[in-house]
Amino acid sequence: MAATLLLTRPLGAAQRFLDGLGVETPHLISPIMRIVPLTPQVLRVPKALVLTSENGAAALARLDLPPGLPAWCVGLRTAEVARANGADAIVAGPDAAHLLPRILAEGGNGPFLHLRGAHVAADVAVALQSAGRVCDALVVYDQQDCPLSPAALALLNGTAPVVLPLFSPRSAALVAKAGPFAAPLIIVAISPAAAALAPSAARVYVAPTPELSAMQRLAAQAVGEAG
């Protein structure tokens, strides 16, 4: 029985994931979170930005900041959006664990400004402050919970295999909260932390690096192995 790929990312991100997957497969998109842009006031103009998501980078279009600021970015997509919004983007690595050493070694003392969501896996501003750097944090979007669609719930409680990529610990926890599920689940997790919070599954794969391309390769592999 063929597997179905269930994507719980916001629509645009889910479609980009599909476009780069490299295989044709039955799929369903049911976002588990909704991104709500916010436009807070910038209280101190930074010397450099810290951007850990494309949604943080997209906020540059709404904020009163000077153009051309250096922007330390997690991931290629974040850097792409930052450049499109006038920042001098620097790809510092695939996650915060790679980002922080680069900033500490090459970024100076600040002040930095981390444009972040209401929910984050790692508090970059606190980490930089603990290392003696000046860094402010500004919440520029919220990630509001969304219920899985009736079609997604039917899929998860069916008999056919479901390949479920999970891109954060929070999204894993939100999906698990809607379970348990009857379908044979194949989890593709972006990190061990996401895998630990995922719903019970027949198989769990963890991406070797927390990057979109690694998740796409692993998801394509999981779809192929599921038949």
Side-chain angles (χ1 to χ4, degrees):
M1 193 177 294
T4 299
L5 182 67
L6 175 60
L7 295 172
T8 59
R9 305 194 85 190
L11 184 59
Q15 189 59 57
R16 283 193 297 273
F17 185 86
L18 283 172
D19 291 344
L21 194 60
V23 296
E24 293 290 334
T25 184
H27 64 271
L28 178 66
I29 298 174
S30 177
I32 199 71
M33 286 184 280
R34 181 171 69 96
I35 302 301
V36 179
L38 305 173
T39 310
Q41 183 180 358
V42 177
L43 298 179
R44 172 165 51 184
V45 177
K47 289 185 178 178
L49 301 166
V50 181
L51 303 174
T52 50
S53 70
E54 65 176 279
N55 293 304
L60 291 171
R62 307 189 299 272
L63 299 177
D64 184 17
L65 286 167
L69 285 173
W72 295 89
C73 300
V74 166
L76 296 174
R77 175 63 183 170
T78 300
E80 179 183 295
V81 175
R83 289 190 193 101
N85 285 291
D88 181 12
I90 305 157
V91 180
D95 57 15
H98 291 80
L99 171 79
L100 289 168
R102 284 285 308 275
I103 294 177
L104 294 176
E106 305 171 33
N109 293 322
F112 298 95
L113 178 61
H114 181 203
L115 303 181
R116 49 161 281 185
H119 304 273
V120 290
D123 196 325
V124 173
V126 168
L128 287 171
Q129 292 162 11
S130 297
R133 306 302 192 267
V134 178
C135 185
D136 300 319
L138 196 65
V139 176
V140 293
Y141 63 96
D142 193 10
Q143 307 107 304
Q144 295 182 354
D145 302 358
C146 291
L148 291 168
S149 68
L153 290 172
L155 182 68
L156 288 165
N157 287 296
T159 57
V162 178
V163 175
L164 177 61
L166 294 170
F167 285 83
S168 70
R170 183 163 180 261
S171 61
L174 288 174
V175 174
K177 187 178 177 180
F181 306 115
L185 278 186
I186 304 164
I187 300 294
V188 178
I190 198 167
S191 66
L197 294 174
S200 297
R203 277 178 278 171
V204 178
Y205 299 90
V206 179
T209 58
E211 298 173 288
L212 179 65
S213 58
M215 289 288 286
Q216 287 168 324
R217 287 192 296 269
L218 203 53
Q221 176 188 331
V223 168
E225 291 177 355

Short mmCIF file of all heavy atoms in Angstrom, two decimals, residues 7-54:
data_model
loop_
_atom_site.label_atom_id
_atom_site.label_comp_id
_atom_site.label_asym_id
_atom_site.label_seq_id
_atom_site.Cartn_x
_atom_site.Cartn_y
_atom_site.Cartn_z
N LEU A 7 2.27 16.84 5.30
CA LEU A 7 3.08 18.01 5.63
C LEU A 7 2.28 18.94 6.53
O LEU A 7 1.16 19.34 6.19
CB LEU A 7 3.50 18.75 4.36
CG LEU A 7 4.45 17.96 3.45
CD1 LEU A 7 4.65 18.68 2.13
CD2 LEU A 7 5.79 17.72 4.13
N THR A 8 2.87 19.28 7.67
CA THR A 8 2.18 20.12 8.65
C THR A 8 2.79 21.52 8.74
O THR A 8 2.47 22.27 9.66
CB THR A 8 2.19 19.46 10.03
OG1 THR A 8 3.55 19.26 10.46
CG2 THR A 8 1.46 18.13 10.01
N ARG A 9 3.65 21.88 7.81
CA ARG A 9 4.22 23.23 7.78
C ARG A 9 3.19 24.21 7.21
O ARG A 9 2.22 23.80 6.54
CB ARG A 9 5.47 23.27 6.91
CG ARG A 9 6.55 22.27 7.28
CD ARG A 9 7.86 22.58 6.61
NE ARG A 9 8.60 23.56 7.41
CZ ARG A 9 9.70 24.18 7.00
NH1 ARG A 9 10.17 23.97 5.79
NH2 ARG A 9 10.32 25.03 7.79
N PRO A 10 3.39 25.52 7.41
CA PRO A 10 2.54 26.50 6.71
C PRO A 10 2.59 26.28 5.20
O PRO A 10 3.58 25.75 4.67
CB PRO A 10 3.17 27.84 7.12
CG PRO A 10 3.79 27.56 8.46
CD PRO A 10 4.32 26.16 8.36
N LEU A 11 1.55 26.71 4.51
CA LEU A 11 1.33 26.33 3.11
C LEU A 11 2.53 26.62 2.22
O LEU A 11 2.97 25.76 1.44
CB LEU A 11 0.08 27.05 2.58
CG LEU A 11 -0.33 26.69 1.16
CD1 LEU A 11 -0.61 25.19 1.04
CD2 LEU A 11 -1.56 27.49 0.75
N GLY A 12 3.08 27.84 2.29
CA GLY A 12 4.20 28.19 1.42
C GLY A 12 5.41 27.32 1.65
O GLY A 12 6.05 26.83 0.70
N ALA A 13 5.75 27.09 2.92
CA ALA A 13 6.90 26.26 3.25
C ALA A 13 6.65 24.81 2.85
O ALA A 13 7.57 24.12 2.38
CB ALA A 13 7.20 26.35 4.75
N ALA A 14 5.42 24.34 3.01
CA ALA A 14 5.09 22.97 2.62
C ALA A 14 5.23 22.80 1.11
O ALA A 14 5.75 21.78 0.63
CB ALA A 14 3.68 22.63 3.07
N GLN A 15 4.79 23.79 0.35
CA GLN A 15 4.87 23.68 -1.10
C GLN A 15 6.32 23.71 -1.58
O GLN A 15 6.70 22.97 -2.50
CB GLN A 15 4.09 24.82 -1.76
CG GLN A 15 3.93 24.66 -3.26
CD GLN A 15 3.22 23.37 -3.63
OE1 GLN A 15 2.12 23.10 -3.20
NE2 GLN A 15 3.90 22.52 -4.44
N ARG A 16 7.17 24.53 -0.94
CA ARG A 16 8.60 24.54 -1.30
C ARG A 16 9.24 23.19 -0.99
O ARG A 16 10.11 22.72 -1.72
CB ARG A 16 9.32 25.66 -0.56
CG ARG A 16 9.08 27.04 -1.14
CD ARG A 16 10.04 28.08 -0.59
NE ARG A 16 9.90 28.26 0.84
CZ ARG A 16 9.03 29.10 1.41
NH1 ARG A 16 8.22 29.81 0.66
NH2 ARG A 16 8.97 29.22 2.72
N PHE A 17 8.83 22.58 0.12
CA PHE A 17 9.34 21.26 0.45
C PHE A 17 8.98 20.26 -0.64
O PHE A 17 9.82 19.47 -1.09
CB PHE A 17 8.77 20.81 1.80
CG PHE A 17 9.33 19.51 2.29
CD1 PHE A 17 10.50 19.47 3.01
CD2 PHE A 17 8.67 18.31 2.02
CE1 PHE A 17 11.03 18.25 3.46
CE2 PHE A 17 9.18 17.10 2.47
CZ PHE A 17 10.36 17.08 3.19
N LEU A 18 7.74 20.27 -1.09
CA LEU A 18 7.31 19.37 -2.15
C LEU A 18 8.05 19.63 -3.45
O LEU A 18 8.47 18.69 -4.14
CB LEU A 18 5.81 19.53 -2.39
CG LEU A 18 4.85 18.90 -1.38
CD1 LEU A 18 3.43 19.33 -1.68
CD2 LEU A 18 4.97 17.38 -1.40
N ASP A 19 8.24 20.90 -3.79
CA ASP A 19 8.89 21.25 -5.05
C ASP A 19 10.31 20.71 -5.13
O ASP A 19 10.81 20.39 -6.21
CB ASP A 19 8.91 22.78 -5.23
CG ASP A 19 7.52 23.36 -5.46
OD1 ASP A 19 6.60 22.59 -5.79
OD2 ASP A 19 7.35 24.59 -5.29
N GLY A 20 10.99 20.62 -3.98
CA GLY A 20 12.36 20.13 -3.97
C GLY A 20 12.51 18.68 -3.58
O GLY A 20 13.64 18.20 -3.39
N LEU A 21 11.41 17.95 -3.50
CA LEU A 21 11.46 16.58 -3.00
C LEU A 21 12.11 15.62 -3.98
O LEU A 21 12.82 14.70 -3.58
CB LEU A 21 10.04 16.10 -2.65
CG LEU A 21 9.92 14.83 -1.83
CD1 LEU A 21 10.61 14.99 -0.48
CD2 LEU A 21 8.45 14.47 -1.63
N GLY A 22 11.86 15.84 -5.27
CA GLY A 22 12.49 14.99 -6.27
C GLY A 22 11.74 13.72 -6.60
O GLY A 22 12.18 12.95 -7.46
N VAL A 23 10.64 13.44 -5.93
CA VAL A 23 9.83 12.26 -6.24
C VAL A 23 8.36 12.67 -6.23
O VAL A 23 7.96 13.59 -5.51
CB VAL A 23 10.06 11.11 -5.23
CG1 VAL A 23 11.48 10.61 -5.29
CG2 VAL A 23 9.69 11.54 -3.81
N GLU A 24 7.58 11.98 -7.05
CA GLU A 24 6.14 12.17 -7.05
C GLU A 24 5.53 11.24 -6.02
O GLU A 24 5.81 10.04 -6.01
CB GLU A 24 5.56 11.89 -8.44
CG GLU A 24 5.98 12.88 -9.51
CD GLU A 24 5.35 14.25 -9.32
OE1 GLU A 24 4.27 14.32 -8.71
OE2 GLU A 24 5.95 15.24 -9.76
N THR A 25 4.70 11.78 -5.16
CA THR A 25 4.08 10.94 -4.13
C THR A 25 2.74 11.54 -3.72
O THR A 25 2.58 12.77 -3.75
CB THR A 25 5.00 10.82 -2.89
OG1 THR A 25 4.41 9.93 -1.95
CG2 THR A 25 5.22 12.16 -2.24
N PRO A 26 1.76 10.72 -3.36
CA PRO A 26 0.53 11.27 -2.79
C PRO A 26 0.86 12.10 -1.56
O PRO A 26 1.72 11.72 -0.75
CB PRO A 26 -0.29 10.03 -2.42
CG PRO A 26 0.29 8.92 -3.23
CD PRO A 26 1.74 9.23 -3.41
N HIS A 27 0.20 13.24 -1.43
CA HIS A 27 0.52 14.11 -0.30
C HIS A 27 -0.72 14.88 0.16
O HIS A 27 -1.70 15.01 -0.57
CB HIS A 27 1.64 15.09 -0.65
CG HIS A 27 1.26 16.06 -1.74
ND1 HIS A 27 1.46 15.79 -3.08
CD2 HIS A 27 0.67 17.30 -1.69
CE1 HIS A 27 1.02 16.81 -3.80
NE2 HIS A 27 0.54 17.73 -2.98
N LEU A 28 -0.61 15.36 1.39
CA LEU A 28 -1.65 16.19 1.98
C LEU A 28 -0.98 17.26 2.84
O LEU A 28 -0.02 16.96 3.55
CB LEU A 28 -2.58 15.33 2.85
CG LEU A 28 -3.71 16.06 3.60
CD1 LEU A 28 -4.72 16.63 2.61
CD2 LEU A 28 -4.41 15.11 4.56
N ILE A 29 -1.47 18.49 2.74
CA ILE A 29 -0.94 19.59 3.54
C ILE A 29 -1.98 20.00 4.57
O ILE A 29 -3.13 20.31 4.22
CB ILE A 29 -0.55 20.80 2.66
CG1 ILE A 29 0.55 20.42 1.67
CG2 ILE A 29 -0.10 21.98 3.54
CD1 ILE A 29 0.87 21.53 0.67
N SER A 30 -1.59 19.97 5.84
CA SER A 30 -2.48 20.39 6.93
C SER A 30 -1.61 21.13 7.96
O SER A 30 -1.05 20.51 8.87
CB SER A 30 -3.17 19.18 7.57
OG SER A 30 -3.97 19.59 8.67
N PRO A 31 -1.49 22.45 7.83
CA PRO A 31 -0.61 23.19 8.75
C PRO A 31 -1.01 23.02 10.21
O PRO A 31 -2.20 23.09 10.55
CB PRO A 31 -0.77 24.64 8.29
CG PRO A 31 -1.17 24.54 6.85
CD PRO A 31 -2.06 23.32 6.79
N ILE A 32 -0.02 22.81 11.06
CA ILE A 32 -0.26 22.67 12.50
C ILE A 32 -0.06 24.01 13.22
O ILE A 32 -0.41 24.16 14.38
CB ILE A 32 0.67 21.59 13.10
CG1 ILE A 32 0.15 21.10 14.45
CG2 ILE A 32 2.11 22.09 13.20
CD1 ILE A 32 -1.08 20.25 14.38
N MET A 33 0.50 24.99 12.47
CA MET A 33 0.69 26.34 13.01
C MET A 33 0.37 27.38 11.95
O MET A 33 0.55 27.12 10.75
CB MET A 33 2.13 26.53 13.50
CG MET A 33 2.47 25.82 14.78
SD MET A 33 4.16 26.21 15.34
CE MET A 33 5.11 25.12 14.30
N ARG A 34 -0.07 28.54 12.42
CA ARG A 34 -0.33 29.67 11.54
C ARG A 34 0.61 30.81 11.94
O ARG A 34 0.70 31.15 13.13
CB ARG A 34 -1.79 30.11 11.68
CG ARG A 34 -2.19 31.27 10.79
CD ARG A 34 -3.70 31.46 10.86
NE ARG A 34 -4.14 31.97 12.16
CZ ARG A 34 -4.36 33.27 12.41
NH1 ARG A 34 -4.20 34.18 11.47
NH2 ARG A 34 -4.78 33.64 13.60
N ILE A 35 1.32 31.37 10.96
CA ILE A 35 2.26 32.47 11.23
C ILE A 35 1.50 33.79 11.20
O ILE A 35 0.85 34.12 10.21
CB ILE A 35 3.40 32.48 10.20
CG1 ILE A 35 4.14 31.14 10.21
CG2 ILE A 35 4.36 33.64 10.48
CD1 ILE A 35 4.75 30.77 11.54
N VAL A 36 1.58 34.52 12.30
CA VAL A 36 0.90 35.82 12.41
C VAL A 36 1.97 36.91 12.52
O VAL A 36 2.67 37.00 13.55
CB VAL A 36 -0.02 35.87 13.64
CG1 VAL A 36 -0.70 37.23 13.75
CG2 VAL A 36 -1.06 34.76 13.57
N PRO A 37 2.17 37.74 11.49
CA PRO A 37 3.20 38.78 11.54
C PRO A 37 2.87 39.83 12.60
O PRO A 37 1.70 40.21 12.79
CB PRO A 37 3.17 39.39 10.13
CG PRO A 37 2.48 38.38 9.28
CD PRO A 37 1.50 37.69 10.18
N LEU A 38 3.90 40.31 13.28
CA LEU A 38 3.79 41.39 14.26
C LEU A 38 4.73 42.51 13.85
O LEU A 38 5.74 42.28 13.18
CB LEU A 38 4.16 40.88 15.66
CG LEU A 38 3.39 39.66 16.18
CD1 LEU A 38 3.98 39.18 17.50
CD2 LEU A 38 1.90 39.97 16.33
N THR A 39 4.41 43.74 14.29
CA THR A 39 5.25 44.89 13.95
C THR A 39 5.55 45.68 15.22
O THR A 39 5.00 46.76 15.46
CB THR A 39 4.55 45.79 12.90
OG1 THR A 39 4.10 44.98 11.81
CG2 THR A 39 5.53 46.83 12.35
N PRO A 40 6.43 45.17 16.06
CA PRO A 40 6.79 45.89 17.28
C PRO A 40 7.76 47.03 16.99
O PRO A 40 8.36 47.11 15.90
CB PRO A 40 7.47 44.80 18.12
CG PRO A 40 8.07 43.90 17.10
CD PRO A 40 7.13 43.89 15.93
N GLN A 41 7.94 47.88 17.96
CA GLN A 41 8.87 49.00 17.82
C GLN A 41 10.29 48.54 18.13
O GLN A 41 10.53 47.80 19.08
CB GLN A 41 8.48 50.13 18.78
CG GLN A 41 9.36 51.37 18.66
CD GLN A 41 8.93 52.44 19.64
OE1 GLN A 41 7.98 52.28 20.39
NE2 GLN A 41 9.66 53.57 19.64
N VAL A 42 11.23 48.99 17.31
CA VAL A 42 12.65 48.72 17.56
C VAL A 42 13.16 49.79 18.52
O VAL A 42 13.15 50.98 18.20
CB VAL A 42 13.45 48.75 16.24
CG1 VAL A 42 14.95 48.56 16.53
CG2 VAL A 42 12.95 47.69 15.28
N LEU A 43 13.59 49.38 19.69
CA LEU A 43 13.98 50.34 20.73
C LEU A 43 15.44 50.76 20.62
O LEU A 43 15.81 51.85 21.08
CB LEU A 43 13.73 49.73 22.11
CG LEU A 43 12.26 49.39 22.41
CD1 LEU A 43 12.13 48.77 23.79
CD2 LEU A 43 11.38 50.63 22.29
N ARG A 44 16.28 49.91 20.06
CA ARG A 44 17.70 50.25 19.91
C ARG A 44 18.17 49.76 18.55
O ARG A 44 18.05 48.59 18.22
CB ARG A 44 18.53 49.59 21.02
CG ARG A 44 20.03 49.75 20.82
CD ARG A 44 20.85 49.44 22.05
NE ARG A 44 20.54 48.15 22.66
CZ ARG A 44 21.10 47.72 23.80
NH1 ARG A 44 22.00 48.48 24.43
NH2 ARG A 44 20.78 46.55 24.30
N VAL A 45 18.73 50.67 17.75
CA VAL A 45 19.21 50.30 16.42
C VAL A 45 20.45 49.42 16.57
O VAL A 45 21.42 49.81 17.22
CB VAL A 45 19.53 51.54 15.57
CG1 VAL A 45 20.10 51.13 14.21
CG2 VAL A 45 18.28 52.39 15.37
N PRO A 46 20.44 48.23 15.99
CA PRO A 46 21.58 47.32 16.15
C PRO A 46 22.68 47.59 15.14
O PRO A 46 22.48 48.27 14.13
CB PRO A 46 20.94 45.95 15.89
CG PRO A 46 19.89 46.25 14.87
CD PRO A 46 19.33 47.61 15.23
N LYS A 47 23.84 47.01 15.43
CA LYS A 47 24.92 46.99 14.44
C LYS A 47 24.81 45.78 13.53
O LYS A 47 25.37 45.78 12.42
CB LYS A 47 26.28 46.98 15.14
CG LYS A 47 26.66 48.29 15.82
CD LYS A 47 28.07 48.23 16.39
CE LYS A 47 28.46 49.56 17.03
NZ LYS A 47 29.82 49.48 17.63
N ALA A 48 24.13 44.75 14.00
CA ALA A 48 23.95 43.54 13.20
C ALA A 48 22.70 42.82 13.66
O ALA A 48 22.26 42.96 14.80
CB ALA A 48 25.16 42.61 13.33
N LEU A 49 22.14 42.04 12.76
CA LEU A 49 20.93 41.27 13.02
C LEU A 49 21.27 39.79 13.20
O LEU A 49 22.28 39.30 12.67
CB LEU A 49 19.95 41.40 11.85
CG LEU A 49 19.48 42.81 11.52
CD1 LEU A 49 18.80 42.83 10.16
CD2 LEU A 49 18.55 43.33 12.60
N VAL A 50 20.42 39.09 13.93
CA VAL A 50 20.49 37.64 14.05
C VAL A 50 19.13 37.11 13.59
O VAL A 50 18.09 37.48 14.14
CB VAL A 50 20.79 37.19 15.48
CG1 VAL A 50 20.85 35.66 15.55
CG2 VAL A 50 22.08 37.81 15.99
N LEU A 51 19.16 36.26 12.56
CA LEU A 51 17.93 35.76 11.94
C LEU A 51 17.97 34.24 11.93
O LEU A 51 18.81 33.63 11.27
CB LEU A 51 17.79 36.30 10.52
CG LEU A 51 17.80 37.83 10.39
CD1 LEU A 51 17.82 38.25 8.92
CD2 LEU A 51 16.59 38.44 11.09
N THR A 52 17.06 33.64 12.64
CA THR A 52 17.03 32.18 12.76
C THR A 52 15.86 31.54 12.02
O THR A 52 15.66 30.33 12.13
CB THR A 52 16.98 31.78 14.25
OG1 THR A 52 15.95 32.51 14.91
CG2 THR A 52 18.31 32.08 14.93
N SER A 53 15.11 32.33 11.26
CA SER A 53 14.01 31.78 10.46
C SER A 53 13.68 32.74 9.33
O SER A 53 13.97 33.94 9.41
CB SER A 53 12.76 31.58 11.32
OG SER A 53 12.20 32.84 11.68
N GLU A 54 13.05 32.20 8.29
CA GLU A 54 12.65 33.07 7.18
C GLU A 54 11.55 34.04 7.61
O GLU A 54 11.45 35.15 7.08
CB GLU A 54 12.19 32.25 6.00
CG GLU A 54 10.94 31.43 6.21
CD GLU A 54 10.51 30.72 4.93
OE1 GLU A 54 9.87 31.38 4.08
OE2 GLU A 54 10.82 29.54 4.79
#
